[in-house]
Amino acid sequence: MTRLALAVLLALTVPAFAAAYDKTETTSAYTLRLRVPTEAMAIAPLKTEIFARFARDSAEIKTDSVSDQKDMPEHFHPYDLDTLWRVTFNSPDVLSLSGYSFVDQNGAHPNAGYDSIVWDKSANRAVPINELFAKDQLEPALRAIATYAKAELIKFVSEQEGAPADSSMADEGIAPDPKKLG
């Protein structure tokens, strides 16, 4: 197993967080919040990557919330996007980050979104998940990661709600596919 592959596996189990960047933007239509740890802010291209992802995610929130506020003011409540990035692994070679977003788009209930970045410090770039494993190990590795991630999500939701979680929600968002796990 490569050091990068080990970083991914450790990223699933080692939580940590220290915010260097914490910014909130609030209007009558939405609230946007982004929190980024010190280690990520110290690497300019990684900081740029995180900010670009947040800009992409928040653009839809801004557009839709302003439109909904105008079109249906009697049913409107402000949208919310709160994204927290945390370090899950840090070594001289690799920085692994996990992003969690709370998303409320004026629907029946809020949603959650997840993201991750494995940053190769030597190459100064994000490493796609399919590059972390040998080709013959990629499919079994993705299956193992997806299985673990589903179990952890179900456990987390069950603990938060104080009752067993519906496993179908994990099945909808987590799969042994680089697009779902990347």
Side-chain angles (χ1 to χ4, degrees):
M1 181 179 305
T2 68
R3 276 195 271 183
L4 290 175
L6 178 61
V8 169
L9 295 176
L10 288 172
L12 295 170
T13 59
V14 182
F17 180 71
Y21 181 89
D22 186 344
K23 182 176 179 190
T24 302
E25 176 186 345
T26 302
T27 71
S28 63
Y30 59 82
T31 297
L32 305 173
R33 183 177 185 193
L34 175 62
R35 292 171 281 169
V36 183
T38 303
E39 297 87 345
M41 293 296 291
I43 302 171
L46 175 56
K47 174 184 165 184
T48 299
E49 175 69 23
I50 290 170
F51 283 23
R53 291 181 187 200
F54 187 73
R56 196 170 43 246
D57 293 343
S58 60
E60 181 181 346
I61 296 287
K62 289 178 177 181
T63 302
D64 292 350
S65 65
V66 169
S67 174
D68 285 354
Q69 185 181 39
K70 178 183 167 197
D71 295 344
M72 52 181 189
E74 67 280 2
H75 301 293
F76 181 79
H77 72 267
Y79 283 28
D80 192 21
L81 172 63
D82 185 349
T83 300
L84 168 66
W85 284 93
R86 63 187 177 90
V87 173
T88 54
F89 180 78
N90 193 0
S91 77
D93 302 314
V94 175
L95 179 62
S96 181
L97 300 164
S98 174
Y100 168 79
S101 294
F102 171 86
V103 185
D104 185 351
Q105 293 175 288
N106 211 5
H109 54 80
N111 293 299
Y114 302 92
D115 201 354
S116 62
I117 299 173
V118 175
W119 192 262
D120 181 333
K121 293 178 180 179
S122 298
N124 211 21
R125 71 177 183 98
V127 180
I129 195 167
N130 60 323
E131 290 183 21
L132 296 174
F133 303 96
K135 289 183 187 204
D136 64 331
Q137 296 176 353
L138 180 60
E139 188 177 322
L142 294 179
R143 268 197 316 274
I145 293 169
T147 298
Y148 182 82
K150 285 180 186 181
E152 286 297 302
L153 178 60
I154 291 166
K155 177 182 165 190
F156 174 78
V157 171
S158 296
E159 288 171 358
Q160 294 296 311
E161 295 183 358
D166 177 5
S167 64
S168 67
M169 70 166 182
D171 293 334
E172 290 175 23
I174 301 171
D177 173 348
K179 291 178 185 170
K180 295 271 187 172
L181 295 175

